[in-house]
Amino acid sequence: MVFDIEMIQSVHQKYANIVSKTRETLKRPLTLTEKVLYSHLFNENELKDYIRAIDYVNFSPDRVAMQDATAQMALLQFMNAGRETTAVPSSVHCDHLIQAYQSATIDLPQAKIANKEVYDFLRSVSDKYDIDFWKPGAGIIHQVILENYAFPGGLMIGTDSHTPNAGGLCMLAIGVGGSDAMDVMAGMPWELKMPKIIGVKLSGKMSGWTSPKDIILKLAGILTVKGGTNAIIEYFGEGASSISATGKGTICNMGAEVGATTSIFPYNRKTADYLNATGRKEITDSCNKIIEHLQADQEVYNNPEKYYDRVIEIDLSTLEPYVNGPFTPDAAYPISEFAAIVKEKNYPQKMEVGLIGSCTNSSYEDMSRAASIARQANEKGLEFKAQFLINPGSEQIRFTAERDGILSDLEKIGGVLMANACGPCIGQWKRDMDNPERPNSIVTSFNRNFAKRNDGNPNTHSFVASPEMVTAFTIAGDLCFNPLTDILINKDGEPIKLQEPAGYELPPKGYAVEDAGYLAPNKDRDIQVVIDPKSQRLQVLEPFVPWDGNNIIKQNLLIKVKGKCTTDHISMAGPWLKFRGHLENISDNMLIGAINAFNDQANSVLDPETGKYERVPVLAKKYKSEGIGSIIIAEENYGEGSSREHAAMEPRFLNVKAIISKSFARIHETNLKKQGMLALTFINKDDYDKIREEDKISILGLTSFSPGKNLTVQLDHSDGTSESFEAAHSYNDVQIEWFKAGSALNKLRMKNEEF
């Protein structure tokens, strides 16, 4: 048992009293989201009716979870916080650094050798500070969390944008940057703008080819990649009660793709069944004592429009399987329309690779339903027309699926078992192609499908679907194949119609595992965490320089970004993951994927001194070496995608003074603030068009920087003219102190030194 039952019981014992006080204070019924949030206020004396999307609130999370890529920087920061142990239970999961290439048996041993320095560092820091450690091969962080740590009514933060996966077990689990994690591990409050709440009512019941994945794929089409920003999605209705706990996890996981803060389902029998099946009956017993507080008040369900900021209803009885993509997860198409879309948009019709698993769809239910399709193909003489890769979510899932013959069914029709790790989902896929830039199509059961996300090829058209649909597409090798209506021809020339997938929510024989991959901390406080000064993987963090007290005057434009700019564009993953613990080295990838608005090229920006175009990080480093800063200009939803704080730390390290955009993704904006960066938004979005390539940019009003007070941006053009406009910001008093101190970590260190 790795979960902390005493902590969980302590949280639950306070619930009834806190919920009652909150209902009395707010003078209205409460949503489930409000019950969880208000029961986790950092200071219970600050209980009041916080205004959604306006007020910042300090919370006290129950847990922190970190994956190996982001844990490096989070723990490097935590080591400077002056604590002997973490203030809350925390865990590290080695899942991101394992490259997928040939198979699990080959790739995992190679990863252990290639990443030994990083794994040894993470293990030693975990031992020193009493942190749970899950070794390489144990599984993907979110599946491991669901199986071991997630609990109803809890609040958790994790250094990965898909932390919301735990919402499938009625937990508010929120993706953050490493600085936020460091704050919580150091015992500081965790700040969040009180989110709006989107209520999604699920009516009816799924059947046939439809799966939980299709719910979130459809919702992504409704909300788009920005529709959930600054909001928590709360599911309810009879349809919600019929979905398995792991299916709910899939839905909550992909809430990140619509920008949602997190997502949550109420506690019910399906939740209890999963907790019991994974050896956590003690948690079920504790939940059953407060079951009325692990769902919204009945008045909310009776009149949802009154209590949610927006209500969306999806009828599961009529829901079709969906396929989303390419290049964005919100391009949503029901399977009945998808073939026409493929032909209309001239997408490569041949489907070359199918990939199932990942943190989003790697449950026993997912694997068993996909295996039922594979079993049919094998029995009926169908041959797979595309490559087929399988990424189990955890060693427990892999071991159980192997025992029950599921993996055998998938392997019999050509499936290749990859490591229990993220792999192709995050760009850690060494894909062999005849032409690495050739247009092609793949279908995955993953969550994110931005350009170059999986294999680095900007011309790979990546589509997202359920594992059973991916399996069917892989058999056909054709994007225009609809398994609900179409037939396939087997090797004997016979027409074959695939039957509906069938599987098990939970393994009939129970879960089993020989070595889950968990290593408890040895609690040796005398452990010395040593970082080689010559290391190319790890680097001791030096504090950022505090604000000099002056306005920002006549800084060069570094880049004016055109169009979508995700954290993948700002700080790519893939081969760059090996530098996640070395800020100087990883800064060589800053914004190399962003498109320059002046020449429509990536990684090509003007050096006004020479008149030549340089790589973005090269020019930024030149400015820094000369004691000069620079400014980044961007469009909508800048920084959407993964929660990687390196996308904020790299500009800070390279002396970028401010980023001015039309809007920011929530996590990235917070990360920028934590690193002492200025994140400003255009009040008039047309002001974006005023920025010219050789502008000198000033930001005025910083000497009186205060909440709600706009700053002035002045542009000095190369032709001698100038113009100015106002820019907004969302900094509160605490965040302004971070800016003045140079970073949130600097401010924390200053406080600790006072004591």
Side-chain angles (χ1 to χ4, degrees), residues 222-238:
I222 296 171
L223 288 174
T224 77
V225 293
K226 294 197 304 177
T229 302
N230 290 324
I232 289 177
I233 301 174
E234 183 176 317
Y235 294 86
F236 65 99
E238 60 174 341

Side-chain angles (χ1 to χ4, degrees), residues 66-76 91-93 121-122 159:
M66 297 165 280
Q67 41 95 332
D68 52 354
T70 50
Q72 296 171 61
M73 196 58 68
L75 293 175
L76 284 166
S91 58
V92 169
H93 305 259
F121 165 73
L122 294 175
T159 59

Side-chain angles (χ1 to χ4, degrees), residues 709-749:
K709 184 178 180 181
N710 295 336
L711 298 174
T712 299
V713 177
Q714 180 175 305
L715 307 175
D716 289 304
H717 302 310
S718 59
D719 63 4
T721 63
S722 64
E723 56 187 317
S724 62
F725 56 84
E726 287 193 353
H729 69 84
S730 61
Y731 288 72
N732 59 27
D733 287 323
V734 172
Q735 294 165 342
I736 290 173
E737 289 302 311
W738 297 343
F739 169 75
K740 291 179 177 179
S743 71
L745 180 58
N746 286 359
K747 188 64 180 178
L748 173 62
R749 188 184 300 109

Side-chain angles (χ1 to χ4, degrees), residues 4 6 12 19 37 54 94 99-100 132 135 161 164 193 200 223 277 305 323 331 338 363 374 426 532 535 556 656 672:
D4 190 337
E6 292 183 1
H12 285 172
V19 169
L37 287 178
I54 298 293
C94 296
Q99 186 181 62
D132 287 355
K135 62 186 180 181
S161 54
K193 183 183 288 186
V200 176
L223 288 174
E305 288 79 6
V323 184
F338 184 58
S363 68
I426 60 164
D532 185 346
S535 172
N556 291 326
V656 173
L672 289 169

Side-chain angles (χ1 to χ4, degrees), residues 418-452:
M418 311 306 285
N420 310 322
C422 301
C425 186
I426 60 164
Q428 283 285 66
W429 182 18
K430 185 179 178 181
R431 182 183 177 191
D432 289 331
M433 291 185 69
D434 52 349
N435 177 358
E437 296 292 313
R438 174 174 55 79
N440 70 100
S441 292
I442 66 174
V443 185
T444 82
S445 69
F446 305 162
N447 42 41
R448 198 158 277 169
N449 62 344
F450 301 133
K452 302 200 288 187

Side-chain angles (χ1 to χ4, degrees), residues 337-352:
E337 301 174 8
F338 184 58
I341 293 295
V342 170
K343 293 176 180 179
E344 174 190 330
K345 297 184 178 292
N346 199 30
Y347 296 144
Q349 185 173 334
K350 180 183 178 183
M351 187 273 219
E352 299 190 19

Side-chain angles (χ1 to χ4, degrees), residues 159-178:
T159 59
D160 190 277
S161 54
H162 294 101
T163 301
N165 191 81
L169 283 185
C170 189
M171 186 180 208
L172 284 183
I174 301 174
V176 299

